[in-house]
């Protein structure tokens, strides 16, 4: 295994973009099912309009140029190619910070927070809050994909991130993440030990929610906000977890449709942006810029990683490494308006020293409410830097 870190530049062949346009133009559309819009999935009318925008108006080259503004690299860790963005702060004493995305996200999630985190003085903040920013693509995702072998669960990824930070020369650093990133980030701390000064999470679920039913007696002690999160969690388990069950049991089967059809890949992702963004009753582009959303979809389509990204769910459910020993690393939690984390459950397995609740923002906080996320990350790590 080589420890070499190689500069990386995104250069998608024009033939790949031409092929995508052809496939979008030749799409075979199903009939719209009866019933209320979105109740049975993404409406045909909505998706046809979005797909046409993708075909004729969306500019990948502009998105590619935006991504390439940030220094990118690849390296091999534990037999797996890892792609990452690495932006060093102009502040010499900045704190290194590794950011981890989730599904159906990518490094695209963090584009609006890189500048404010790395150079706060240029974005209305204090120079003392600066970070050296490291943003890896999860194994099997984007330019890290596809996965080369089995076993890439959150614990193994956490060890890889600790190795990456060491390889970059960072001996003291923080970690942040949402969705799968909220599961990987504590594992970075377990792997990195005292090198990790703190972990900050959003869109947190496992370890931050009740395990099993909640009794009426316990419900009676809860706030209105906590009860609302239980209701969202119950709705997800009843109506919104189908994707989870498929990806956690048959990722190879679902890969054929998503890998072969850009319309299928678009629908699979945009449904979650609609359901998990704030407000969930609105359309995805009310929360996230339409072009940014499509750039995120493009990272799945162009790299052919629908299947290997889905495989992370399979690994998580079949390569079990659930920890029973509480994490002692200082932990901060940002709970956005569509999140489900509840502090009383989080405290059972984490050393919670910082907890913030917001009235806006959703699952994709770095895209939906970058100002709130940046401010909370700064506030959390400010007290841990000494």
């Amino acid at each position: 295994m080589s420890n070499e870190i190689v500069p990386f530049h995104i250069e998608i062949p024009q033939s790949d973009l031409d092929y995508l346009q052809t496939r979008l133009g030749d799409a075979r559309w199903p009939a719209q099912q009866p019933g209320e819009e979105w109740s049975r999935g993404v409406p045909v009318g909505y998706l046809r309009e979005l797909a046409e925008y993708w075909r004729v108006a969306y500019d990948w080259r502009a998105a590619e140029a935006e991504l390439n503004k940030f220094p990118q690299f690849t390296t091999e860790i534990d037999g797996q190619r890892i792609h990452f963005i690495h932006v060093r702060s102009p502040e010499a004493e900045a704190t290194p910070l590794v950011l981890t995305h989730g599904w159906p996200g990518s490094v695209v999630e963090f584009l609006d927070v890189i500048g404010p985190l790395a150079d706060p003085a240029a974005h209305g903040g204090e120079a003392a809050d600066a970070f050296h920013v490291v943003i890896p693509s999860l194994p099997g995702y984007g330019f890290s994909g596809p996965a080369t072998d089995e076993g890439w669960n959150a614990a193994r990824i956490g060890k890889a991130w600790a190795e990456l930070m060491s390889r970059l020369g960072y001996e003291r650093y923080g970690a942040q993440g949402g969705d799968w990133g909220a599961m990987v980030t504590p594992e970075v701390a377990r792997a990195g030990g005292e090198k990790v000064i703190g972990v900050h999470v959003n869109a947190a679920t496992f370890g931050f929610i009740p395990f099993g039913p909640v009794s009426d007696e316990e419900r009676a002690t809860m706030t209105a906000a906590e009860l609302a999160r239980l209701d969202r969690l119950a709705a997800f388990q009843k109506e919104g977890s189908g994707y989870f069950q498929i990806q956690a049991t048959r990722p190879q089967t679902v890969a054929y449709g998503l890998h072969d059809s850009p319309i299928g890949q678009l629908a699979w992702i945009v449904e979650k942006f609609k359901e998990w963004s704030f407000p969930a009753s609105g359309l995805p582009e009310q929360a996230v810029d339409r072009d940014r959303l499509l750039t995120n979809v493009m990272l799945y389509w162009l790299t052919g990683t629908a299947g290997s990204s889905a495989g992370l769910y399979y690994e998580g459910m079949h390569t079990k490494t659930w920890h029973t020993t509480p994490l002692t690393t200082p932990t901060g939690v940002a709970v956005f308006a569509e999140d489900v984390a509840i502090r009383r459950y989080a405290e059972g397995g984490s050393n919670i020293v910082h907890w913030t609740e917001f009235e806006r923002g959703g699952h994709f906080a770095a895209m939906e409410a970058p100002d709130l996320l940046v401010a909370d990350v700064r506030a959390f790590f400010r007290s841990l830097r000494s």
Side-chain angles (χ1 to χ4, degrees):
M1 181 183 73
S2 170
N3 290 349
E4 184 181 9
I5 294 174
V6 181
F8 179 80
H9 189 79
I10 305 171
E11 293 182 284
I12 299 300
Q14 184 59 41
S15 58
D16 288 1
L17 305 181
D18 294 341
Y19 175 72
L20 172 61
Q21 284 204 322
T22 298
R23 289 299 304 275
L24 291 172
D26 291 343
R28 183 169 178 252
W29 293 94
Q32 175 62 52
Q33 295 193 21
E36 184 179 350
E37 276 204 341
W38 294 95
S39 64
R40 304 190 186 202
V42 184
V44 175
Y46 172 83
L47 201 68
R48 289 193 75 148
E49 190 276 327
L50 181 58
E52 183 64 6
Y53 178 88
W54 192 10
R55 187 180 74 85
V56 303
Y58 172 77
D59 185 352
W60 165 255
R61 293 303 183 198
E64 187 178 69
E66 181 181 17
L67 283 162
N68 281 331
K69 287 191 303 184
F70 301 107
Q72 297 172 70
F73 306 87
T74 61
T75 192
E76 182 183 320
I77 300 176
D78 196 9
Q80 175 67 42
R81 165 190 166 105
I82 300 297
H83 159 265
F84 62 98
I85 294 170
H86 183 201
V87 178
R88 288 192 58 85
S89 172
E91 305 297 334
E93 300 303 315
T95 299
L97 180 67
V98 57
L99 302 168
T100 308
H101 65 85
W103 184 92
S106 67
V107 296
V108 170
E109 287 188 54
F110 296 113
L111 294 183
D112 290 333
V113 303
I114 294 174
L117 289 175
D119 191 4
H123 294 82
E126 298 294 328
D129 288 328
F131 297 92
H132 299 306
V133 180
V134 181
I135 311 174
S137 295
L138 287 166
Y141 285 66
F143 296 108
S144 285
T148 55
D149 65 352
E150 60 185 353
W152 277 103
N153 62 359
R156 187 174 176 185
I157 297 170
K159 292 176 183 177
W161 280 194
E163 168 61 23
L164 175 62
M165 296 302 278
S166 177
R167 197 171 291 185
L168 291 172
Y170 295 136
E171 293 302 318
R172 189 170 182 271
Y173 56 91
Q176 198 284 331
D179 186 80
W180 274 110
M183 299 184 195
V184 170
T185 295
E187 299 297 337
V188 178
R190 293 182 189 277
E194 294 183 358
K195 292 182 179 180
V196 181
I197 63 172
V199 300
H200 182 279
V201 298
N202 64 285
T205 52
F206 182 81
F208 297 83
I209 57 176
F211 189 78
V214 177
S215 67
D216 290 340
E217 291 77 13
E218 184 156 7
R219 283 178 175 270
T221 69
M222 290 185 164
T223 66
E226 290 174 328
L227 290 171
R229 287 173 211 151
L230 286 183
D231 288 344
R232 282 198 297 277
L233 185 59
F236 168 79
Q237 292 169 336
K238 181 180 180 180
E239 293 284 343
S241 62
Y243 81 96
F244 184 103
Q245 296 300 326
I246 292 172
Q247 296 193 153
T249 59
R250 298 295 184 270
Q252 185 63 57
T253 300
V254 75
Y256 296 108
L258 301 180
H259 186 88
D260 182 62
S261 169
I263 298 298
Q265 180 70 91
L266 178 64
W268 195 244
I269 289 178
V270 79
E271 179 189 271
K272 298 312 168 195
F273 270 82
K274 192 266 189 242
E275 293 181 342
W276 296 348
S277 297
F278 177 78
S281 58
L283 294 176
E285 51 265 55
Q286 291 177 254
V288 176
D289 177 77
R290 175 176 275 198
D291 290 288
R292 188 59 60 78
L293 170 59
L294 289 172
T295 298
N296 182 70
V297 173
M298 288 288 274
L299 258 64
Y300 285 81
W301 174 256
L302 293 172
T303 60
T305 51
S308 59
S309 62
L312 180 53
Y313 287 82
Y314 187 94
E315 300 295 350
M317 296 305 293
H318 291 81
T319 313
K320 296 178 181 178
T321 55
W322 311 125
H323 295 284
T324 56
T325 303
L327 181 68
T328 59
T329 307
T331 300
V333 183
V335 184
F336 290 87
E338 292 293 337
D339 287 345
V340 295
I342 297 175
R343 183 164 187 164
R344 66 180 70 191
Y345 303 114
E347 288 178 335
S350 301
N351 177 20
I352 305 296
V353 300
H354 177 94
W355 186 279
T356 313
E357 301 185 3
F358 298 103
E359 295 183 355
R360 63 180 171 93
H363 187 87
F364 306 96
M367 302 174 83
E368 298 180 60
D371 57 328
L372 298 183
L373 182 63
V374 166
D376 203 62
V377 170
R378 288 173 178 169
F380 170 65
F381 283 102
R382 194 174 294 142
S383 63
L384 303 176
R385 282 187 157 98
S386 59

